Amino acid sequence: MTRHFLYVIFLFPFLVYAEDGSQLWLRYTPVDESVANKRTIKLRATHDLVQLAQQELQTYWAGQSVVLRLDKKLKRLKEGYVLKGDASNIELVAAEPVGLLYGAYHLLRLQEAGEDTNHLQVEEIPDYDIRILNHWDNLDRTVERGYAGYSLWRWDELPHTLSPRYEQYARANASIGINATVLNNVNASPQILTSDYLVKVKALADIFRKYGIRVYLSANFSSPKVLDGLSDSDPLREEVQDWWKKKVKEIYQHIPDFGGFLVKANSEGQPGPQDYGRTHADGANMLADALKPYGGLVMWRAFVYNPTEEDRAKQAYQEFVPLDGKFRENVIIQIKNGPVDFQPREPFTPLFGAMKNTAQMIEFQITQEYLGFSNHLAYLAPLFKETLDADTYSDGKGNTVARITDGSIWQHKKTAISAVANIGEDANWTGHHFAQANWYAFGRLAWNHQLSSEEIAREWIRTTFTRDADFVKPVQQMMMDSREAVVDYMMPLGLHHIFAFDHHYGPEPWGDRKGGRPDWMPWYYHNADTVGLGFDRTTNGSNAVSQYNEPLRTTFNMIGTCPENLLLWFHHVSWTHRMRSGRTLWDELCVHYDRGVQEVREFQKTWDKLESYVDQQRFNEIQSKLKIQTKDAVWWKDACLLYFQTFSQMPIPYELDRPIHDLEELKKIKLDMKHHN
Amino acid sequence: MTRHFLYVIFLFPFLVYAEDGSQLWLRYTPVDESVANKRTIKLRATHDLVQLAQQELQTYWAGQSVVLRLDKKLKRLKEGYVLKGDASNIELVAAEPVGLLYGAYHLLRLQEAGEDTNHLQVEEIPDYDIRILNHWDNLDRTVERGYAGYSLWRWDELPHTLSPRYEQYARANASIGINATVLNNVNASPQILTSDYLVKVKALADIFRKYGIRVYLSANFSSPKVLDGLSDSDPLREEVQDWWKKKVKEIYQHIPDFGGFLVKANSEGQPGPQDYGRTHADGANMLADALKPYGGLVMWRAFVYNPTEEDRAKQAYQEFVPLDGKFRENVIIQIKNGPVDFQPREPFTPLFGAMKNTAQMIEFQITQEYLGFSNHLAYLAPLFKETLDADTYSDGKGNTVARITDGSIWQHKKTAISAVANIGEDANWTGHHFAQANWYAFGRLAWNHQLSSEEIAREWIRTTFTRDADFVKPVQQMMMDSREAVVDYMMPLGLHHIFAFDHHYGPEPWGDRKGGRPDWMPWYYHNADTVGLGFDRTTNGSNAVSQYNEPLRTTFNMIGTCPENLLLWFHHVSWTHRMRSGRTLWDELCVHYDRGVQEVREFQKTWDKLESYVDQQRFNEIQSKLKIQTKDAVWWKDACLLYFQTFSQMPIPYELDRPIHDLEELKKIKLDMKHHN
């Protein structure tokens, strides 16, 4: 006993100051008893969630007294809350128990960020009903496009052993308003729906529920056939429908607040209703019907494309628009932000706003499949906001993607927003400490898409590192510049998908495979030739511009008006085309690639200067990642410029840093990076 | 026949314009018949060498008529020549036949470099009698510290098959005044002295003789014992002496103008007279006595050091100075330019000028063992001149290493200067096209040590590439800056020998091997600790300064007067010591490493801008090498700064580019670079 006691004494200082990123932005320290005694945290409600809210404040809130009150009449608040108060008392009111929890975290966030808490007059209403993470976690604990270790879900140990990280995960999500999670990969194993696994899922759901988080599952459309030997999984066959009804019933017996299914069907080899000559609507509706009695939803993905002659970027629109109005009320079409696949920059998917009679939700990608994995610092709030703020011009000006999906324009049963998680079992959850900011930013924007990227960054930096303005300001700037830097050194001016085939990490603009799908080859996207570069999606080309509403259609269609940051997305542009800078396309391309490299070198300087503000472990880990990023930026720049130069036959402007690699040597690089688990 | 004829026609343009560097600085084109008919090349002498001179001019000289005349009375010219003439006639006079050949190459050099040849009033006398290359070529055709492919000497084919490159090699040497060559490695195989090999050596000597080049051999001191089973090789035993006399006689039967022996004895494991308790003088004199009847010489290396407590840098001096006056007249002590081993920068070896009664010669290293192999552009004329121009203050001011070794101060039988060759069987001879300039510069300085590095560079650029001033000027500047850039990114401020153990290519300041010789470990040289950096060779330290004459002794001994580019050679300096710039030692170190990197990046820009002036093959090959150099410079900088930072605990100045490597990752790099053949 004595021995243990000593251990505690000696270890305690280290435990307190250990900074491995595992605390995320929740680096609250328990308040002293003396502080706690000066104020009360009173409840005018009873509910597990409310008690949790009280407990969080009781433990960590260092300010004035707080009263938590439930008022079911305030429906307009949804899961939101009202915070009112002065220096001596705060009243926190919500219509739903979870609203009080969110309000408590709001208070703690203000406290940690060093904001004023003595003049509170806050009303917060979430923009989306469902704020959901998609885990692309496989049952063997690998994570498709996961770069932070193996899956958090220890299926082999469940349901009997419960990792403390399950609750930490739920708390972190609750603290930023995330209220739902899809546990398994959209490339779904049917196994997840077996009784054995449902018991495990229930164990997780029971923990998450304490933090107001509902569980969803990715469903494999062939489950009836695979799991129970049905002759097929045709959605119009009664036997199949019955199978799903029974399965859903079983799920709800375990998990009464089960959220529903996420489905990737007839996409990249996944089974789906088209296997039986049925439509996406037929498939989605069958599942929706099974879920309806329990209030469950179907999130049906629109990420579909086939190796046809048709421009891949057009296919989701072509398949789904004709189905508008044919989906059940409890179906939401889940649409990736861009028409191809989570590239560093894409225009928004034109499907947004093109289906007035169908609920739509965005799918973002937090995990950096195409933005340097967990090696590159890329703050994604600006990318998320670029899509959210994009005006679809559906029914006139101002109908942004945000307003279309949040229900402001057209009413649907539920609104939702999703993102593919970047979470794994690494101590710091996300591999790169700064990648935590992307999880954070998604949560905050899902709650309030009006927040600025700068605000979110500042909040995150203050709570995650320090409030010192000498740290916050340069780091905020670095974060704000980071996504554009990645675009610059990877794929500027609208270039896209010139990644290495297997891993989507390094550059491979020369990539080609005999007999491979053209739409999986970089040349399909960049179209480099001796004339120029870029994908002609104008009316003279694939005519993808026609899927956009006016005036976008015309703006994108004309080389003179097309935004230059999307130029090569929509146009095949001559190497000597004069850009707005006065430079040729080739020179401009070089300048962008070089700028990307120089920016990352600046990030290194910024970070190194801040060593004294950060604990050593996180400082070092981030410093190391930035080194990799600089090396990779040069790799990208050299690979792309040297390759495209074989077409342009023009010199890289001589004032720019010269390549340090030879093209032939770069072509030999083969990385075995498929799994980062 | 017709077919072959066509081939010739079609191939001819390519043959003429093919530029793979194989022509070196000898890119003469044969003159048209019409030009040749306008002038005469007359001989007033008969000798093979003179006829060769006539033939070279007949084929390539596009100017006025030339008369070649021998005048044996003009002894003062030695192997030099006088060139006099106007626009219509030139007279070339020499005392020795080879002098006329050198004169002919002088004319052709002027022509190729675009210099005036209409007002000639030239008298050229070589500064050294013997201008000799040392090949570190092994009999298995590997080359110790060779980075341009296998050895030129195809021992297996000799003497019957004679590669055309033997004559090309001889001609290239003659064109820059080199008149001797040691064919085999100083770590000599006894085999070279077997009758089988001597026949092969003779075959080479017969070719080289046509160009005025004498052959020398490295002799293994144990040859009598190894080759003929003598009980030992004790130089004071008559049997041993007789063996050498017989062997020398055999050699001269094959090669009547054989030059003599180069010997590495009792050095780095090589056998020598000390194995029998005899001195270097005993050993050298025995060989000298055997060679004397034939006019042969012994070049006895002073590169000796043992793993004792004594500073390695002091040992050659300690061993050899007591032997002054004890060597035969036909012995020359061959001394490396610096006291350790061909480092990017060393002070001159204090042995120079410390043995008034013994002939001394310099050993330079052309092959870039410690300057980036054939990957880094490092023009070495400034390094050579730094030693040649160094004032030894032996008998007062002005007694430079050059004047001591060229016989200006003390008279000896023969003067000589040597350098370790960088030549291999690569098409361009030296691996890096710019490494040709170092071979060239050595020859030119061996002829005339007053030539400036700039002049030599200009001459070489004009003859090797183009006379266009827009090319010559920036390339000359790049060459002039290049050695200092290497010093900066490898070992600035007097740092030395912190190379990786095996290959001497990459950085390994952390290098250590259990049980290894301390004087082969980087820490032996850099002495980094929490206080500072550098080797204390002052009177408080190893007292190596005492080997230098005043005022050098005092200048080097005091931290305030010691040249900063040798500071860490002579002093252990505190990290916070203020340098002349006002910066601390640590900051200054960082600035130098960074400057080295930036300089190489500038070289890349310089070179890329000049693409239109150079043939594609050489442009590309040099461009590729510069890429490697930039990568390596960053590697060096990061490795050294990150390692030394573990002692200084000071930040790299924040305005400098940040490291892109992690120290632990750099420590893992193991290159298998021992042989570049």
Side-chain angles (χ1 to χ4, degrees):
Chain A
M1 275 304 274
T2 319
R3 212 157 166 196
H4 279 107
F5 181 69
L6 280 171
Y7 263 120
V8 170
I9 285 183
F10 288 129
L11 283 174
F12 195 63
F14 300 102
L15 290 173
V16 168
Y17 295 106
E19 290 278 20
D20 56 7
S22 61
Q23 293 183 282
L24 296 160
W25 47 87
L26 300 161
R27 291 161 62 255
Y28 316 146
T29 42
V31 295
D32 288 344
E33 211 177 331
S34 62
V35 174
N37 286 341
K38 282 193 202 130
R39 49 85 176 136
T40 55
I41 310 293
K42 282 196 196 144
L43 284 194
R44 302 251 168 91
T46 52
H47 189 282
D48 288 351
L49 280 162
V50 180
Q51 272 162 8
L52 177 63
Q54 182 193 33
Q55 183 194 313
E56 291 280 35
L57 291 175
Q58 192 64 47
T59 314
Y60 300 109
W61 176 246
Q64 59 273 57
S65 293
V66 185
V67 176
L68 295 87
R69 190 161 62 79
L70 263 188
D71 184 346
K72 307 236 169 194
K73 286 172 302 189
L74 297 171
K75 288 272 178 244
R76 62 175 173 82
L77 290 180
K78 299 179 175 174
E79 292 185 342
Y81 49 89
V82 172
L83 272 168
K84 279 187 201 163
D86 55 27
S88 49
N89 285 290
I90 294 173
E91 191 189 38
L92 168 55
V93 186
E96 301 281 343
V98 75
L100 293 177
L101 183 62
Y102 294 148
Y105 287 123
H106 187 124
L107 279 177
L108 291 170
R109 180 161 62 232
L110 292 178
Q111 170 178 291
E112 296 302 302
E115 304 281 355
D116 173 33
T117 55
N118 292 335
H119 309 83
L120 290 175
Q121 188 72 279
V122 171
E123 182 176 291
E124 290 272 340
I125 304 171
D127 282 331
Y128 295 93
D129 300 327
I130 302 166
R131 303 169 295 280
I132 188 166
L133 288 179
N134 289 186
H135 286 269
W136 283 0
D137 294 18
N138 299 312
L139 302 188
D140 64 1
R141 297 192 61 222
T142 58
V143 180
E144 185 165 326
R145 315 305 178 183
Y147 315 108
Y150 284 93
S151 170
L152 275 185
W153 327 131
R154 299 178 166 270
W155 295 110
D156 52 338
E157 296 177 6
L158 284 165
H160 304 298
T161 305
L162 299 173
S163 159
R165 298 201 84 179
Y166 302 151
E167 185 157 347
Q168 291 163 11
Y169 164 86
R171 181 175 180 241
N173 279 319
S175 77
I176 50 175
I178 289 172
N179 66 356
T181 185
V182 185
L183 296 180
N184 61 319
N185 190 358
V186 287
N187 293 324
S189 163
Q191 288 302 113
I192 193 72
L193 296 183
T194 59
S195 303
D196 284 355
Y197 268 91
L198 290 177
V199 179
K200 298 169 190 276
V201 172
K202 169 188 164 36
L204 291 173
D206 287 346
I207 297 170
F208 299 167
R209 187 177 300 112
K210 294 194 256 175
Y211 289 85
I213 293 168
R214 283 185 184 216
V215 162
Y216 289 65
L217 293 174
S218 291
N220 183 301
F221 202 80
S222 278
S223 297
K225 186 176 163 188
V226 176
L227 292 183
D228 285 316
L230 271 63
S231 59
D232 60 42
S233 298
D234 181 346
L236 298 195
R237 277 215 308 130
E238 207 177 315
E239 190 194 2
V240 172
Q241 294 165 356
D242 285 346
W243 187 92
W244 283 107
K245 280 179 188 154
K246 257 179 70 185
K247 182 53 70 181
V248 168
K249 186 176 177 188
E250 182 189 355
I251 296 172
Y252 277 93
Q253 277 165 354
H254 290 297
I255 309 155
D257 58 350
F258 179 68
F261 294 131
L262 170 63
V263 186
K264 175 177 181 177
N266 293 121
S267 165
E268 297 183 324
Q270 292 298 315
Q274 293 176 344
D275 302 348
Y276 313 101
R278 316 304 180 191
T279 68
H280 285 290
D282 294 331
N285 291 344
M286 172 198 62
L287 295 175
D289 290 343
L291 288 159
K292 197 178 177 191
Y294 312 95
L297 291 177
V298 175
M299 294 168 172
W300 191 270
R301 292 173 92 236
F303 178 65
V304 296
Y305 62 104
N306 291 304
T308 64
E309 286 299 299
E310 187 57 275
D311 177 2
R312 169 173 169 183
K314 292 172 68 181
Q315 297 185 35
Y317 184 101
Q318 288 174 329
E319 273 200 54
F320 277 84
V321 170
L323 299 173
D324 188 25
K326 298 191 173 147
F327 291 98
R328 299 281 188 271
E329 236 185 19
N330 60 334
V331 174
I332 311 185
I333 304 304
Q334 181 167 316
I335 305 167
K336 289 191 180 181
N337 60 293
V340 169
D341 193 10
F342 297 138
Q343 299 301 293
R345 170 165 282 121
E346 298 187 44
F348 71 89
T349 302
L351 196 48
F352 288 116
M355 300 174 78
K356 301 185 187 179
N357 302 304
T358 307
Q360 301 188 330
M361 63 187 283
I362 303 181
E363 178 178 316
F364 284 124
Q365 194 180 45
I366 303 174
T367 194
Q368 292 170 233
E369 174 181 355
Y370 295 102
L371 288 110
F373 294 6
S374 60
N375 284 335
H376 294 201
L377 192 167
Y379 173 53
L380 299 183
L383 186 158
F384 300 156
K385 294 216 31 118
E386 203 167 281
T387 301
L388 288 165
D389 294 346
D391 197 335
T392 66
Y393 292 94
S394 166
D395 291 341
K397 204 166 154 47
N399 289 359
T400 61
V401 173
R403 298 188 69 234
I404 280 174
T405 53
D406 75 2
S408 306
I409 316 274
W410 304 309
Q411 294 297 317
H412 294 291
K413 191 178 170 71
K414 288 276 185 188
T415 63
I417 187 166
S418 70
V420 182
N422 60 347
I423 300 160
E425 66 168 1
D426 277 4
N428 71 12
W429 301 86
T430 56
H432 198 308
H433 291 283
F434 273 87
Q436 296 177 357
N438 296 329
W439 176 9
Y440 185 89
F442 168 70
R444 298 290 287 128
L445 285 171
W447 183 273
N448 178 2
H449 56 59
Q450 300 292 308
L451 289 173
S452 73
S453 301
E454 290 87 346
E455 272 177 277
I456 298 170
R458 191 166 53 241
E459 216 176 75
W460 177 79
I461 298 165
R462 286 178 168 177
T463 51
T464 306
F465 290 104
T466 170
R467 295 173 214 164
D468 194 316
D470 292 340
F471 180 88
V472 175
K473 218 179 136 186
V475 172
Q476 186 188 358
Q477 190 60 52
M478 175 169 74
M479 290 172 70
M480 288 305 298
D481 294 340
S482 61
R483 180 265 188 139
E484 201 62 34
V486 176
V487 169
D488 274 336
Y489 64 67
M490 284 189 181
M491 276 161 272
L493 300 176
L495 281 174
H496 51 288
H497 225 318
I498 56 177
F499 294 93
F501 184 85
D502 282 329
H503 48 70
H504 297 175
Y505 183 77
E508 203 172 274
W510 52 81
D512 202 6
R513 305 209 164 190
K514 263 207 182 131
R517 284 175 65 159
D519 55 350
W520 285 357
M521 300 302 151
W523 50 259
Y524 177 91
Y525 300 98
H526 64 63
N527 292 284
D529 58 27
T530 53
V531 177
L533 183 66
F535 197 132
D536 185 355
R537 292 191 166 104
T538 68
T539 43
N540 297 320
S542 82
N543 199 23
V545 293
S546 69
Q547 296 182 341
Y548 290 92
N549 295 309
E550 286 293 9
L552 290 180
R553 187 181 305 169
T554 303
T555 305
F556 290 154
N557 196 50
M558 299 199 318
I559 197 167
T561 54
C562 182
E564 286 197 339
N565 62 14
L566 291 172
L567 191 64
L568 305 177
W569 183 283
F570 286 113
H571 294 266
H572 187 68
V573 182
S574 147
W575 295 112
T576 54
H577 171 77
R578 286 286 153 195
M579 304 291 285
R580 270 154 227 163
S581 63
R583 285 188 280 262
T584 60
L585 168 66
W586 168 252
D587 282 3
E588 186 79 11
L589 195 72
C590 294
V591 165
H592 276 274
Y593 274 107
D594 191 70
R595 185 185 299 158
V597 170
Q598 305 304 339
E599 283 247 44
V600 186
R601 290 201 179 129
E602 287 306 310
F603 297 165
Q604 286 194 283
K605 291 185 188 177
T606 298
W607 187 248
D608 280 4
K609 269 183 225 166
L610 298 171
E611 181 163 8
S612 63
Y613 296 89
V614 200
D615 52 284
Q616 206 58 48
Q617 182 175 347
R618 287 191 296 174
F619 175 80
N620 289 343
E621 287 170 357
I622 291 163
Q623 188 188 48
S624 285
K625 295 281 191 183
L626 285 170
K627 291 173 177 180
I628 297 171
Q629 191 170 3
T630 294
K631 274 187 282 193
D632 288 348
V634 175
W635 174 28
W636 267 97
K637 173 192 161 193
D638 286 4
C640 296
L641 290 186
L642 290 172
Y643 176 70
F644 291 135
Q645 193 176 35
T646 65
F647 299 97
S648 82
Q649 298 289 331
M650 293 162 80
I652 295 165
Y654 294 111
E655 67 277 14
L656 305 181
D657 270 4
R658 317 314 295 165
I660 60 167
H661 302 94
D662 280 328
L663 183 56
E664 293 312 309
E665 160 205 320
L666 292 173
K667 285 184 177 177
K668 285 182 210 141
I669 296 177
K670 295 283 169 228
L671 301 178
D672 182 20
M673 301 186 89
K674 217 164 179 181
H675 286 291
H676 277 251
N677 309 116
Chain B
M1 275 301 272
T2 318
R3 211 156 166 198
H4 279 105
F5 181 68
L6 278 171
Y7 262 120
V8 171
I9 286 184
F10 288 129
L11 284 174
F12 196 63
F14 300 102
L15 291 172
V16 169
Y17 295 107
E19 291 277 21
D20 56 8
S22 60
Q23 293 183 282
L24 297 158
W25 47 89
L26 301 161
R27 291 161 63 256
Y28 316 147
T29 41
V31 295
D32 287 345
E33 213 178 326
S34 60
V35 174
N37 287 341
K38 282 193 201 131
R39 47 87 174 136
T40 56
I41 310 292
K42 281 198 196 139
L43 284 194
R44 301 251 167 91
T46 52
H47 189 285
D48 287 352
L49 281 163
V50 180
Q51 271 163 9
L52 177 62
Q54 183 193 33
Q55 184 193 309
E56 291 280 34
L57 292 175
Q58 192 64 50
T59 314
Y60 300 111
W61 176 248
Q64 59 272 59
S65 293
V66 185
V67 175
L68 295 86
R69 189 160 63 77
L70 265 188
D71 182 346
K72 307 237 168 192
K73 287 173 304 194
L74 297 171
K75 287 275 176 240
R76 65 173 170 82
L77 291 179
K78 299 178 173 176
E79 292 186 341
Y81 50 87
V82 173
L83 272 168
K84 278 186 201 163
D86 55 25
S88 50
N89 286 290
I90 293 173
E91 191 188 38
L92 169 55
V93 186
E96 301 281 343
V98 74
L100 293 177
L101 183 63
Y102 293 149
Y105 285 125
H106 187 125
L107 279 177
L108 291 171
R109 180 162 60 234
L110 293 178
Q111 170 179 288
E112 296 302 301
E115 304 282 354
D116 173 34
T117 55
N118 292 336
H119 310 82
L120 290 175
Q121 187 72 280
V122 171
E123 181 176 291
E124 289 273 341
I125 304 173
D127 282 332
Y128 294 94
D129 300 327
I130 302 165
R131 305 169 295 279
I132 188 167
L133 290 179
N134 288 187
H135 286 268
W136 284 0
D137 294 18
N138 299 312
L139 303 188
D140 65 0
R141 297 192 63 221
T142 59
V143 180
E144 187 164 326
R145 315 306 179 182
Y147 314 109
Y150 283 94
S151 170
L152 275 185
W153 327 133
R154 298 178 167 269
W155 296 110
D156 53 336
E157 296 178 4
L158 284 165
H160 303 297
T161 304
L162 300 173
S163 159
R165 298 202 83 179
Y166 302 151
E167 185 157 346
Q168 291 161 10
Y169 164 85
R171 181 176 180 241
N173 279 319
S175 76
I176 51 173
I178 289 172
N179 66 356
T181 184
V182 185
L183 295 180
N184 62 318
N185 191 356
V186 288
N187 293 324
S189 164
Q191 288 301 113
I192 191 74
L193 296 182
T194 59
S195 305
D196 283 356
Y197 268 90
L198 290 177
V199 180
K200 299 170 190 276
V201 172
K202 170 189 160 41
L204 292 173
D206 288 345
I207 296 169
F208 297 168
R209 188 178 300 112
K210 293 194 255 175
Y211 288 86
I213 293 167
R214 284 184 182 219
V215 162
Y216 289 65
L217 294 175
S218 292
N220 183 300
F221 202 80
S222 277
S223 296
K225 187 175 163 192
V226 176
L227 292 183
D228 284 318
L230 272 63
S231 58
D232 61 39
S233 299
D234 181 348
L236 299 194
R237 277 216 308 131
E238 208 178 312
E239 191 194 3
V240 173
Q241 295 165 354
D242 285 346
W243 187 91
W244 281 107
K245 279 179 189 152
K246 257 181 69 185
K247 182 52 70 182
V248 167
K249 186 176 175 187
E250 183 190 353
I251 296 173
Y252 277 93
Q253 278 165 353
H254 289 298
I255 309 155
D257 58 350
F258 179 68
F261 293 131
L262 171 64
V263 186
K264 175 176 181 177
N266 293 122
S267 165
E268 296 183 327
Q270 291 298 314
Q274 294 176 344
D275 301 347
Y276 313 101
R278 317 302 182 191
T279 67
H280 284 291
D282 294 332
N285 291 342
M286 172 198 61
L287 295 175
D289 290 343
L291 288 160
K292 195 177 176 189
Y294 313 94
L297 291 177
V298 175
M299 294 168 173
W300 192 269
R301 293 172 93 236
F303 178 66
V304 297
Y305 64 103
N306 291 305
T308 66
E309 287 298 298
E310 188 56 276
D311 178 2
R312 169 175 170 182
K314 293 173 67 182
Q315 298 187 35
Y317 184 101
Q318 288 174 329
E319 272 200 55
F320 277 84
V321 169
L323 299 174
D324 189 23
K326 297 192 173 146
F327 291 98
R328 299 281 190 271
E329 240 186 14
N330 60 335
V331 174
I332 311 184
I333 305 304
Q334 180 166 315
I335 305 166
K336 290 191 181 183
N337 59 293
V340 168
D341 193 11
F342 298 138
Q343 298 302 292
R345 170 165 283 121
E346 297 188 44
F348 72 89
T349 303
L351 197 48
F352 288 116
M355 300 174 78
K356 301 186 187 179
N357 302 303
T358 305
Q360 301 187 332
M361 64 187 283
I362 304 180
E363 178 178 315
F364 284 124
Q365 193 178 47
I366 303 173
T367 195
Q368 291 169 233
E369 175 180 355
Y370 294 103
L371 288 108
F373 295 5
S374 59
N375 283 337
H376 294 201
L377 193 166
Y379 173 53
L380 298 182
L383 186 159
F384 300 157
K385 291 207 46 104
E386 203 167 281
T387 301
L388 289 165
D389 294 346
D391 197 335
T392 66
Y393 292 94
S394 167
D395 292 340
K397 203 168 154 46
N399 290 359
T400 60
V401 172
R403 297 189 69 232
I404 279 173
T405 53
D406 75 3
S408 306
I409 317 275
W410 304 310
Q411 293 297 318
H412 294 291
K413 194 180 167 70
K414 287 278 185 189
T415 62
I417 187 167
S418 70
V420 183
N422 62 345
I423 300 161
E425 67 166 0
D426 277 3
N428 70 12
W429 300 86
T430 57
H432 198 308
H433 290 283
F434 273 87
Q436 297 177 355
N438 296 328
W439 175 9
Y440 186 89
F442 168 69
R444 299 291 289 128
L445 286 171
W447 183 272
N448 179 3
H449 57 57
Q450 301 293 307
L451 290 173
S452 72
S453 301
E454 290 87 345
E455 271 176 278
I456 298 170
R458 191 167 52 241
E459 217 175 74
W460 176 80
I461 298 164
R462 286 178 169 178
T463 51
T464 306
F465 289 105
T466 169
R467 296 174 212 164
D468 195 316
D470 292 340
F471 180 87
V472 175
K473 220 179 136 187
V475 172
Q476 186 187 359
Q477 190 59 51
M478 174 169 74
M479 289 172 71
M480 289 305 298
D481 295 340
S482 60
R483 181 266 189 137
E484 203 62 34
V486 176
V487 169
D488 274 336
Y489 64 69
M490 283 188 181
M491 276 162 273
L493 300 175
L495 282 174
H496 52 289
H497 225 320
I498 56 178
F499 292 93
F501 185 85
D502 283 327
H503 48 71
H504 296 174
Y505 182 79
E508 203 172 275
W510 52 82
D512 201 7
R513 302 209 167 194
K514 264 209 180 127
R517 286 175 61 161
D519 55 350
W520 287 355
M521 300 303 149
W523 50 260
Y524 177 91
Y525 300 97
H526 65 64
N527 292 283
D529 58 26
T530 53
V531 176
L533 184 67
F535 197 132
D536 185 355
R537 294 192 166 104
T538 69
T539 45
N540 296 322
S542 82
N543 199 24
V545 292
S546 69
Q547 296 183 339
Y548 290 91
N549 296 310
E550 286 291 9
L552 288 181
R553 188 180 307 168
T554 304
T555 305
F556 290 154
N557 196 50
M558 300 199 318
I559 197 167
T561 54
C562 182
E564 288 196 338
N565 64 14
L566 291 173
L567 191 64
L568 304 177
W569 183 282
F570 287 113
H571 294 267
H572 188 68
V573 182
S574 145
W575 294 112
T576 55
H577 170 76
R578 285 285 153 197
M579 304 290 286
R580 272 156 226 163
S581 64
R583 285 187 280 260
T584 61
L585 169 66
W586 168 253
D587 281 2
E588 186 79 11
L589 195 71
C590 294
V591 165
H592 276 275
Y593 274 107
D594 190 70
R595 187 184 300 157
V597 171
Q598 304 304 337
E599 284 247 44
V600 186
R601 290 201 180 130
E602 287 306 311
F603 298 164
Q604 287 193 284
K605 290 184 188 178
T606 299
W607 187 249
D608 280 4
K609 271 183 222 166
L610 298 170
E611 182 164 7
S612 63
Y613 296 90
V614 200
D615 52 283
Q616 206 58 46
Q617 182 176 348
R618 288 191 296 174
F619 175 81
N620 288 343
E621 287 170 359
I622 291 163
Q623 186 187 50
S624 284
K625 295 280 191 183
L626 285 170
K627 290 173 177 180
I628 297 171
Q629 190 169 4
T630 294
K631 274 186 284 194
D632 288 348
V634 175
W635 175 26
W636 268 96
K637 173 193 161 194
D638 286 3
C640 296
L641 290 185
L642 290 172
Y643 176 70
F644 291 135
Q645 193 176 37
T646 65
F647 299 97
S648 81
Q649 297 288 334
M650 294 162 80
I652 297 165
Y654 294 110
E655 66 276 16
L656 305 181
D657 269 4
R658 317 315 295 166
I660 59 167
H661 302 95
D662 280 330
L663 183 57
E664 292 313 308
E665 159 205 322
L666 291 173
K667 285 185 177 177
K668 285 183 211 141
I669 296 178
K670 295 283 170 227
L671 300 179
D672 182 20
M673 301 187 89
K674 218 164 182 178
H675 286 291
H676 277 253
N677 309 116

